[in-house]
Amino acid sequence: MRISKLSNPTLGRFVLPEQRELYLRMKEDEKLVHMPVLEQDELESFQYQLRDAAREDYAVTVTWWQSVKGELGTTRSMWGVVKWIDANARRIKLVNDEDVQWIPIGCIVSVRA
């Protein structure tokens, strides 16, 4: 099988580390997404699950969107116990064995028990 230079433009030429880094950064930027738009009933469901998890002290998995470049970002997930719901700052404190994370309530896109 023969690989053409068109399918792999770096084949047969020297690439500077700076060029490679820029190329990889551009590929990472292509993976960024806009914040998902959620329905009101989904948001209310998340808030109910978070309050219940905090009250009953059981673990949940929270997925949230995090801005990377302006309106583009990535989603992150973490499991843990909701230790605090800060209604004034509109964020939750999620704690597990390895990490503590303050997550903005407005950025949460999924909560699973």
Side-chain angles (χ1 to χ4, degrees):
M1 183 174 118
R2 203 177 135 175
I3 300 174
S4 77
K5 288 186 179 183
L6 293 177
S7 65
N8 189 349
T10 62
L11 189 66
R13 68 180 177 144
F14 180 75
V15 178
L16 293 171
E18 296 85 9
Q19 291 172 315
R20 183 177 187 282
E21 182 181 329
L22 181 61
Y23 176 77
L24 293 175
R25 195 173 323 135
M26 285 175 26
K27 285 296 183 186
E28 285 297 317
D29 288 351
E30 290 175 4
K31 296 178 185 175
L32 300 179
V33 296
H34 287 279
M35 183 172 176
V37 178
L38 302 171
E39 299 293 327
Q40 185 64 30
D41 60 334
E42 291 176 298
L43 297 173
E44 291 169 0
S45 172
F46 297 161
Q47 291 178 6
Y48 174 80
Q49 288 175 314
L50 292 170
R51 282 193 308 268
D52 191 51
R55 183 176 51 247
E56 300 296 327
D57 200 38
Y58 63 86
V60 292
T61 300
V62 177
T63 303
W64 70 98
W65 180 84
Q66 186 172 25
S67 175
V68 175
K69 285 188 173 183
E71 293 189 12
L72 293 176
T74 185
T75 55
R76 297 184 57 201
S77 287
M78 180 177 159
W79 70 272
V81 177
V82 179
K83 288 295 183 181
W84 187 261
I85 299 176
D86 186 348
N88 294 330
R90 297 202 29 83
R91 62 185 184 162
I92 64 166
K93 183 178 183 180
L94 194 63
V95 178
N96 66 22
D97 297 338
E98 302 163 0
D99 198 9
V100 174
Q101 186 76 39
W102 283 97
I103 303 169
I105 292 174
C107 294
I108 295 174
V109 295
S110 173
V111 178
R112 288 174 290 156

